[in-house]
Amino acid sequence: MKHSRSQPVAPSIPARPEVPGSHSSGHGGHGHGAKTGTEMSAPDQPVYMGLPHERFLRPCFWVALILGLPVVALAMGEMIAPAAFHRFDPRLPGWLQLALTTPIFFWAGAPLNRRWWISIRDRDTNMFTLVVTGTGAAYAYSVAAVGWGDRFPAALRTAHGLPLYFEAVAFITAIVLLGQILEQRAHARTEAAIRGLMDLAPKLAHRVEADGRETDVPLADVRVGDRLRVRPGEHLPVDGPLTDGVTEIDESMLTGEPLPVAKRAGDRASAGTLNTTGSVIVSADRVGQETLLAQIVRLVEEAQNSEAPIARLADRVSAWFTPFVIAVSVITFVTWLLVGPAPALPHALLNAVAVLIIACPCALGLATPVSLITGIGRGAQAGILIKDAAALERLAHANTLLIDKTGTLTAGKPRVIRVTPAAGFTEDALVALAAAAESPSEHPLARAIVAAADERGLARLPATEFSAEPGLGIRARVGGQDVVIGRAAATAGEGESATLVAVTVDGRAAGTMALADTIKPTTPAAVRELQQLGLRVVMVTGDREETARAVAKELGLDGYHAAVTPARKQELVREHRGRGESVVFAGDGMNDAPALAAADVGIAMGTGTDVAMHSAGIVLVQGDLAAMARAVRLSRATLRNIKQNLFWAFAYNFAGIPVAAGALYPFTGWLLNPMLAGVAMSLSSITVISNALRLRHVRL
């Protein structure tokens, strides 16, 4: 028997370039195709788990809920207010329940019924097989009891007449629809992530013609070999080498590192990166789908459309429980038909149906979603935003954490960590002069120096005659003195992880300042805590080898990978998973999006980019790594709670199935005691809900 799962299909995005591999054409053998290209998929077409879009499921849920509440009231009314019900024809509540439940089962439950039929046709038993088999049996029996109750054996009657199970049909249908709506919302992230990535590419490019004229052309019209002008503050439209000009380019989307990189003629640049200072000309050698930006888009789409490595726990249990229940039902029918009392056929049919009814997974429908919803709420209280409920479950099994450096382990921006004044200068005087000279600049190092002066409460003189040489430094006149600041040739000596800048005043060395992207104060303790929880913590960074080695040594990490590209980050995730590891990737940058999407669990910092947060299943709201350890503990507590719920759900079913099959009839004369069935179903649901609510108080 096969157990294929339908893959989530990302909604198509209007008016965006085609990216190879970005469209999913099938649904895991469920016989439905998705619309692709620029047309949005119809809401009634399967998009996840073989069910239609949540826009189609929402009205189904509300109809099931609104019509189901009176059904429950009518079912319980005889026990709650018998005097009121005795004023009417005793058959009236049954007919009203039938009238209200019929649209629930056939209209609101239609997506579940279609999914049930597909599972039967494809021999792919899952939760839908068990749910609809149970609700269908309960509905069919209840209809027969209302319409032809006088033909049922007297042994099945109680003081209130024949038992009906319409409320179970309504309740289970509404619960399962709600669970599927919540899960679909968690998987509807691809469109926003891809839009965020594609928006990095400018819509127009400034093409330099052969005669030197500049013409604005749509990006789609750019060809290999075109020379394009890129002005300060613009994103590069293509990949290619610089042919003219000097500048500094912010490549943080690729490397995650906050400092711009100096570029001059002959150096390569990539589409989507930001030109910060000088005006340059780029010769296009990769355009459209061939650019590195388009490759990142493709990697994100492929990863988010790929099949989850861990199937649902409920599906795995249902895969064997459903055939078991059906087999018991068939054996019950045959046994009663051959050796049961007269009339044999009604007894055989009703007891076989009773087995399906008592196994109807009311508690199973609650077991997973109630625990997940409660766990999600508890996570929100602890600063852990769970976007994908399945990610919370998979995090419990994780044993390897691949973690980005910049913005995750570190603050993500440089700070002045040491000031070394030359003879004749004090630290404050050196910082004040440097901050005054750097104040007109938007360079990250300049902002760090200005921030250092503000932290010290130093007054800044105005700077005049400011000029910047990309890749070399700045020059300004401050208080009648010429101040020049540039990167020093030597390293800062801070584990080779800091940048050293030299300051000269009127041609005389005034001192040096060391700047570094400092480790967050909470990071060391968080890393140790994650290791104690059994995770190998491995850093993955686009920074240079020396910096990565220094940070890994300082934090006591289990390993590191340096100078890693976005594509390579995703490859590393797959390599670790290929070795049988369950991988969590944590990052905050656009360059982390492919790896976040490809990992078993992607965790983004709430202080990071929108694309990273769209690609991740879990977001740490405060961007604090300490919250990751809390997330691991929450996931393990939630998974443990789900397993407990499933145990109780099936324990009650297993206890009731023998009674429904007639195992007690030879000893007590009982067939299916309605009181026992009602108590068992109620107790199983109450037990599951009560157990799930304990997660609200779990210690993280």
Side-chain angles (χ1 to χ4, degrees), residues 179-199:
Q180 293 304 309
I181 289 169
L182 294 175
E183 186 157 357
Q184 276 200 28
R185 290 181 179 179
H187 286 84
R189 307 188 310 270
T190 301
E191 179 178 1
I194 302 303
R195 282 190 185 279
L197 286 170
M198 294 308 300
D199 285 345

Side-chain angles (χ1 to χ4, degrees), residues 67-80:
L67 296 182
L69 290 175
V71 173
V72 174
L74 288 167
M76 303 298 176
E78 183 73 20
M79 293 181 288
I80 298 173

Side-chain angles (χ1 to χ4, degrees), residues 32-294:
H32 298 280
K35 298 181 182 296
T36 59
T38 60
E39 184 180 0
M40 183 69 74
S41 298
D44 60 345
Q45 291 298 308
V47 296
Y48 183 72
M49 289 298 294
L51 296 181
H53 195 280
E54 63 142 328
R55 295 193 305 274
F56 187 82
L57 295 180
R58 279 199 303 268
C60 296
F61 165 71
W62 286 113
V63 167
L65 180 64
I66 292 170
L67 296 182
L69 290 175
V71 173
V72 174
L74 288 167
M76 303 298 176
E78 183 73 20
M79 293 181 288
I80 298 173
F85 275 74
H86 287 165
R87 298 177 184 176
F88 306 102
D89 187 327
R91 295 173 297 180
L92 181 61
W95 284 105
L96 288 175
Q97 290 181 61
L98 171 60
L100 292 169
T101 306
T102 297
I104 295 176
F105 183 74
F106 287 103
W107 188 84
L112 308 181
N113 297 341
R114 285 197 295 268
R115 185 65 181 84
W116 170 85
W117 167 244
I118 292 168
S119 71
I120 297 297
R121 184 192 68 193
D122 295 348
R123 294 178 298 162
D124 178 18
T125 55
N126 50 47
M127 187 183 74
F128 298 107
T129 318
L130 185 57
V131 166
V132 179
T133 297
T135 56
Y139 178 79
Y141 162 82
S142 300
V143 170
V146 170
W148 300 277
D150 55 344
R151 302 183 185 180
F152 278 49
L156 296 177
R157 298 180 182 279
T158 68
H160 306 296
L162 287 171
L164 303 178
Y165 297 98
F166 287 121
E167 80 283 359
V169 176
F171 184 63
I172 294 172
T173 300
I175 284 292
V176 173
L177 285 170
L178 176 61
Q180 293 304 309
I181 289 169
L182 294 175
E183 186 157 357
Q184 276 200 28
R185 290 181 179 179
H187 286 84
R189 307 188 310 270
T190 301
E191 179 178 1
I194 302 303
R195 282 190 185 279
L197 286 170
M198 294 308 300
D199 285 345
L200 289 176
K203 303 299 182 287
L204 293 175
H206 315 303
R207 185 163 61 196
V208 180
E209 308 293 350
D211 58 6
R213 291 183 300 107
E214 293 186 13
T215 307
D216 287 349
V217 296
L219 184 59
D221 293 343
V222 174
R223 299 290 180 264
V224 173
D226 285 351
R227 299 171 67 244
L228 306 175
R229 171 75 65 184
V230 185
R231 302 184 180 112
E234 293 182 342
H235 289 274
L236 274 72
V238 297
D239 292 1
L242 273 61
T243 60
D244 185 62
V246 178
T247 187
E248 291 192 348
I249 294 180
D250 181 353
E251 296 183 332
S252 58
M253 63 155 286
L254 300 179
T255 65
E257 301 311 311
L259 297 180
V261 179
K263 301 280 187 179
R264 59 185 67 252
D267 294 337
R268 288 191 61 81
S270 299
T273 56
L274 178 64
N275 182 29
T276 61
T277 52
S279 177
V280 295
I281 294 178
V282 178
S283 177
D285 63 4
R286 290 183 183 176
V287 299
Q289 301 173 16
E290 301 303 318
T291 65
L292 186 56
L293 176 61

Side-chain angles (χ1 to χ4, degrees), residues 283-494:
S283 177
D285 63 4
R286 290 183 183 176
V287 299
Q289 301 173 16
E290 301 303 318
T291 65
L292 186 56
L293 176 61
Q295 293 176 30
I296 295 176
V297 171
R298 185 163 59 250
L299 291 172
V300 173
E301 280 195 317
E302 289 175 351
Q304 291 192 326
N305 286 338
S306 62
E307 185 174 359
I310 302 177
R312 292 180 179 178
L313 189 57
D315 276 356
R316 294 203 300 274
V317 176
S318 300
W320 61 263
F321 185 71
T322 302
F324 169 78
V325 171
I326 294 173
V328 171
S329 179
V330 171
I331 293 171
T332 300
F333 178 83
V334 173
T335 302
W336 278 90
L337 189 64
L338 295 178
V339 301
L345 181 60
H347 277 96
L349 183 62
L350 290 174
N351 282 282
V353 172
V355 170
L356 297 177
I357 291 173
I358 199 67
C360 191
C362 184
L364 177 63
L366 292 169
T368 299
V370 171
S371 293
L372 288 174
I373 291 170
T374 307
I376 289 169
R378 180 66 182 92
Q381 295 175 344
I384 305 161
L385 175 60
I386 312 295
K387 297 174 57 188
D388 184 349
L392 183 63
E393 178 185 339
R394 291 194 295 266
L395 182 59
H397 300 296
N399 51 36
T400 299
L401 171 61
L402 301 182
I403 188 165
D404 178 54
K405 176 179 74 70
T406 306
T408 307
L409 295 172
T410 65
K413 57 183 179 180
R415 288 175 49 88
V416 175
I417 59 173
R418 190 178 68 253
V419 179
T420 306
F425 291 89
T426 64
E427 286 191 16
D428 284 353
L430 180 61
V431 173
L433 276 173
E438 293 279 18
S439 57
S441 174
E442 292 300 322
H443 193 285
L445 291 181
R447 296 296 88 200
I449 292 172
V450 171
D454 292 341
E455 289 173 2
R456 293 171 179 244
L458 303 177
R460 294 199 304 272
L461 295 173
T464 59
E465 302 178 22
F466 176 85
S467 63
E469 289 289 334
L472 298 177
I474 64 99
R475 179 186 299 272
R477 193 159 182 81
V478 179
Q481 297 176 301
D482 286 325
V483 179
V484 177
I485 303 175
R487 298 199 187 192
T491 63
E494 299 292 328

